[in-house]
């Protein structure tokens, strides 16, 4: 069984969320994690069987932080997972390792599992430095975490160039390329911290490529963007991964 995590980003309006929940009712929902926009978390908690995740968390548990949502608030809404280090936040919000360390520690205090994203851009891929780049993204954060925190992490490998923008179909890596990078991540973490972590793949996972991707044994699951907002695609993926 593969872990399926839907990162719904900012794709859906409230009515779309209600329809999505209605149209994806299945026995698999209880094993699948959905990370909706904060404003819809309560809808998922009350109207669906999905496990709840968050797309973000505050760097601090301070209460006087306008517009932020802290880890204890997430916990009070039953969130069990949270995404940290997504490339869209690295690029749009300028977030970096120092921010991710704080966020991961905040989540860990509340026993919420961090899903830490890493991935190379087109430039790193083209210059052949993917592994060095990802290794640095990982170590800049993991070197500053307690072993008990590292143990609980899930890492998501998301090549930035493979993430759909909604505008045009993105390229995706070959299974061999994914396998190679996921092995590298697992080995690096194992060698350095003696921990076996789960590693997901993300970047244009959809109905068309899920059967092919499932052939990569070493991948523990998927972080899915666009296709996690389309009921028919998501149902198909759940069936293929959770049975
Ligand atoms: P897509 O599946 O839309 O390419 O997004 C991947 C992603 O960024 C998940 O976090």
């Amino acid at each position: 069984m593969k872990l399926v995590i839907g990162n719904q980003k900012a794709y859906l309006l409230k009515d779309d969320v209600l329809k999505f929940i209605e149209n994806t009712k299945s026995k698999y929902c209880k094993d699948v994690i959905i990370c909706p926009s904060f404003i819809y978390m309560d809808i998922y908690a009350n109207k669906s069987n999905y496990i709840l995740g968050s797309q973000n968390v505050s760097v601090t548990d301070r209460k006087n932080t306008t517009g932020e949502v802290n880890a204890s608030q997430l916990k009070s809404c039953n969130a069990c997972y949270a995404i940290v280090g997504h490339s869209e936040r690295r690029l749009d919000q300028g977030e970096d390792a120092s921010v991710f360390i704080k966020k991961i520690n905040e989540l860990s205090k509340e026993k919420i599992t961090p899903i830490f994203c890493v991935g190379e851009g087109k430039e790193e891929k083209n210059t052949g430095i993917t592994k060095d780049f990802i290794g640095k993204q990982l170590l800049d954060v993991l070197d500053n975490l307690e072993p008990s925190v590292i143990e609980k992490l899930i890492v998501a490998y998301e090549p930035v160039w493979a993430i759909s923008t909604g505008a045009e179909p993105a390229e995706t890596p070959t299974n061999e390329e994914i396998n190679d990078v996921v092995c590298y991540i697992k080995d690096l973490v194992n060698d350095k911290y003696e921990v076996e972590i789960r590693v997901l793949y993300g970047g244009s996972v959809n109905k068309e490529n899920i059967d092919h991707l499932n052939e990569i044994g070493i991948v523990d699951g998927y972080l899915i963007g666009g296709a996690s907002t389309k009921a028919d695609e998501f149902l198909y993926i759940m069936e293929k991964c959770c049975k």
Side-chain angles (χ1 to χ4, degrees):
M1 185 171 137
K2 305 268 190 190
L3 190 58
V4 175
I5 306 184
N7 171 12
Q8 294 192 321
K9 307 190 182 183
Y11 277 108
L12 301 178
L13 301 180
K14 186 175 170 184
D15 279 351
D16 304 325
V17 169
L18 294 168
K19 279 187 210 140
F20 177 86
I21 291 173
E22 200 49 42
N23 294 335
T24 57
K25 285 218 156 84
S26 121
K27 63 177 176 187
Y28 301 118
C29 294
K30 63 172 187 6
D31 299 318
V32 169
I33 299 141
I34 288 279
C35 305
S37 302
F38 289 137
I39 49 175
Y40 305 140
M41 280 188 127
D42 238 25
I43 302 180
Y44 276 96
N46 292 322
K47 291 190 185 295
S48 83
N49 291 325
Y50 286 112
I51 301 165
L52 258 185
S54 164
Q55 295 179 23
N56 192 19
V57 65
S58 172
V59 290
T60 173
D61 59 3
R62 242 180 52 226
K63 310 283 184 260
N64 55 334
T65 53
T66 304
E68 291 296 319
V69 174
N70 64 39
S72 58
Q73 291 179 304
L74 290 178
K75 190 74 187 180
S76 75
C77 291
N78 294 328
C80 303
Y81 294 80
I83 299 169
V84 175
H86 195 283
S87 58
E88 284 152 11
R89 295 203 65 88
R90 291 177 192 260
L91 296 170
D92 298 343
Q93 266 73 35
E95 293 187 358
D96 61 12
S98 66
V99 169
F100 306 144
I101 294 162
K102 289 184 193 146
K103 290 186 174 189
I104 290 172
N105 282 326
E106 283 303 307
L107 292 167
S108 299
K109 282 198 276 181
E110 296 295 337
K111 302 199 167 27
I112 297 172
T113 304
I115 304 155
F116 177 49
C117 303
V118 295
E120 82 285 5
K122 196 87 202 169
E123 198 180 320
E124 290 81 36
K125 175 181 163 56
N126 289 343
T127 48
I129 58 163
T130 293
K131 286 182 186 164
D132 288 347
F133 186 79
I134 290 171
K136 181 163 167 35
Q137 283 184 327
L138 276 171
L139 299 190
D140 281 352
V141 172
L142 272 59
D143 272 348
N144 295 290
L145 299 174
E146 292 296 326
S148 60
V149 174
I150 298 176
E151 237 173 58
K152 301 276 168 8
L153 279 185
I154 296 176
V155 170
Y157 169 49
E158 298 205 312
V160 181
W161 51 274
I163 296 176
S164 16
T165 58
E168 55 202 54
E171 288 172 72
T172 45
T174 63
N175 280 5
E176 290 69 32
E177 285 170 329
I178 296 172
N179 184 73
D180 195 31
V181 175
V182 171
C183 281
Y184 170 75
I185 293 171
K186 289 193 176 195
D187 288 348
L188 182 69
V189 175
N190 203 315
D191 291 348
K192 189 112 207 268
Y193 313 103
E194 292 177 4
V195 168
E196 284 187 18
I197 47 153
R198 284 180 288 176
V199 181
L200 313 177
Y201 169 73
S204 298
V205 176
N206 58 44
K207 199 175 164 175
E208 270 68 49
N209 60 21
I210 192 65
D211 290 307
H212 184 58
L213 288 169
N214 272 342
E215 290 168 13
I216 319 172
I218 196 163
V219 169
D220 296 295
Y222 306 102
L223 185 54
I224 304 167
S228 75
T229 63
K230 297 173 188 140
D232 62 325
E233 292 227 15
F234 202 58
L235 261 181
Y236 184 85
I237 293 170
M238 287 199 276
E239 276 162 19
K240 293 293 177 167
C241 295
C242 301
K243 61 177 188 231

